[in-house]
Amino acid sequence: MDFAGDEQGGNLYVRNAIKFGLLKPESVLADCVMVGNKGFDPLNCATNDEVLKQYREAELKHGRLAMLAAAGWPVSELVQPYLSKALGLPDLLAAGEKAPSVLNGGLDKVNPLFFMGIIIFTATVESVAIKTARGPDYVPGDLGFDPLGLYTGKDEPTKRDLELKELNNGRLAMLAITAYAFN
């Protein structure tokens, strides 16, 4: 906890994780000032700063997708019957008026070209992200896409607050989507 300057300083979550054996004291998370650090790494996966940034990048990507899905799943179940009726298309909802998914069934009703399009789009986005140059000051998840100007030009405390809100909402959305899948 060097950044806090004394033994009692630092992140309370990290101190407790070390105390209860969920985090090794020599872990990169023990001295990490990354937004949202809760000190949870019982398998010691984050071996250095670079690996930690890769994990954070993946967490943000999954969180963003989960936030979109958490909003889109219930909206699709509510709006799809009316849209399909208005456009004269077949109703794609599975039995019980649920969105098609692996557990609900109904994926056989969806056109395979849709899935191919999603795979091509995702591969394109990922290939662009992989080719992006990442310097030492690279912030995980910062793709430079802020069309509404909510992040750019803000002071550091505001940026850290927005990053924490995005991270926490993404974590919650990942849990919500898991619950949707099992309902």
Side-chain angles (χ1 to χ4, degrees):
M1 269 83 30
D2 295 337
F3 66 89
D6 64 356
E7 185 62 31
Q8 298 304 314
N11 186 327
L12 176 64
Y13 296 108
V14 172
R15 288 197 323 259
N16 286 334
I18 291 171
K19 178 179 167 184
F20 294 119
L22 297 173
L23 184 68
K24 295 179 180 176
E26 63 274 3
S27 171
V28 68
L29 288 174
D31 197 30
C32 176
V33 292
M34 190 177 279
V35 171
N37 178 15
K38 303 293 186 202
F40 184 76
D41 189 15
L43 300 178
N44 200 29
C45 295
T47 54
N48 59 41
D49 284 336
E50 187 59 35
V51 173
L52 180 62
K53 284 183 178 182
Q54 290 172 357
Y55 284 137
R56 177 55 57 91
E57 181 90 24
E59 181 180 20
L60 286 168
K61 284 180 184 178
H62 287 92
R64 288 170 180 164
L65 284 173
M67 285 188 278
L68 289 171
W73 191 312
V75 168
S76 71
E77 289 179 351
L78 294 172
V79 175
Q80 201 276 335
Y82 302 110
L83 282 178
S84 63
K85 191 176 193 179
L87 298 174
L89 297 171
D91 188 0
L92 295 178
L93 293 180
E97 295 298 306
K98 293 186 174 190
S101 72
V102 174
L103 297 176
N104 293 340
L107 288 177
D108 55 334
K109 295 181 185 178
V110 180
N111 189 338
L113 291 176
F114 173 77
F115 293 117
M116 288 175 49
I118 292 296
I119 290 170
I120 291 169
F121 174 76
T122 304
T124 303
V125 169
E126 283 299 312
S127 68
V128 169
I130 289 171
K131 291 178 185 175
T132 303
R134 295 186 168 117
D137 58 343
Y138 174 73
V139 177
D142 184 7
L143 303 176
F145 180 74
D146 186 18
L148 300 177
L150 299 174
Y151 185 80
T152 48
K154 302 289 193 264
D155 59 343
E156 283 305 311
T158 303
K159 284 184 176 182
R160 288 185 64 85
D161 186 50
L162 290 171
E163 290 169 8
L164 182 61
K165 287 177 182 178
E166 179 184 24
L167 190 61
N168 286 337
N169 286 322
R171 289 171 176 170
L172 179 62
M174 287 186 269
L175 292 173
I177 283 300
T178 304
Y180 289 175
F182 285 107
N183 271 340

